[in-house]
Amino acid sequence: MSTSQHDIDSADNLVRRRKGLDVLSRIDGHQGDAVIDSLADISPALGHHIAAFAFGDIYDRPGLDPRSRQLVTLGALSALGGCEPQLRVHIGAALNVGISREEIIEALLHSAVYAGFPRALNATFVAREVFAQRDNPTAE
C-alpha cells in the first residue's frame, strides 16, 4: 500500500487540499474554513479529507451546478438527521450560491416525504436560525 495517500502534506495532497479549500471558500465562505480550522488540533487528516476529497474532488466536478449540489446536500443532511451543525453550514452555503429562502424551505418540506416529518422539522428549525443570523449578524 502506498503511504503517499496517508501523507496529507505530500505535494499531490497539498494541491488537492488547496483546490478544495478554494472551492469550500467560494461556497461556504468563512464557515467552511472554520470547520477545517476546528479540526487542526484533533484530526488534521479529517480536515484535509473534507477539503481535498469532498470539495476538491467531488464538489468541483462537472455535471451539477453549485445550486443543484447544495439542494442535494440539504436533502441528504435532512434525511440523515443528527447533522444539524453541518446543515447549518450548508443552508448558509445554499444562500451563498443563490438558492432563495423559499427554495430552501420547499426543499426541506419535500424531504418530509422521504425522511419523515421529525427530520424535516429539525431541518426547518435550523433554517430559521440561519435566516435569523443572516438578518441580524450581530445577535448571538
Side-chain angles (χ1 to χ4, degrees), residues 9 33 35 37 44-45 52 78 80 105 124 128 140:
D9 293 322
D33 293 335
V35 170
D37 292 345
S78 297
L80 284 169
I105 295 304
T124 301
R128 177 193 288 151
E140 290 296 315

Side-chain angles (χ1 to χ4, degrees), residues 2 17 46-47 63 78-79 83 92 94 98 100 108 124-125 133 139-140:
S2 170
R17 184 164 66 235
L46 181 57
S78 297
C83 300
S100 71
L108 301 178
T124 301
F125 293 146
Q133 175 64 31
E140 290 296 315

Side-chain angles (χ1 to χ4, degrees), residues 73-90 111 115-124 126:
T73 302
L74 295 181
L77 291 173
S78 297
L80 284 169
C83 300
E84 286 76 14
Q86 293 77 23
L87 192 54
R88 192 168 286 107
V89 170
H90 285 283
S111 73
F117 284 100
R119 291 194 173 149
L121 280 165
N122 290 343
T124 301
V126 171

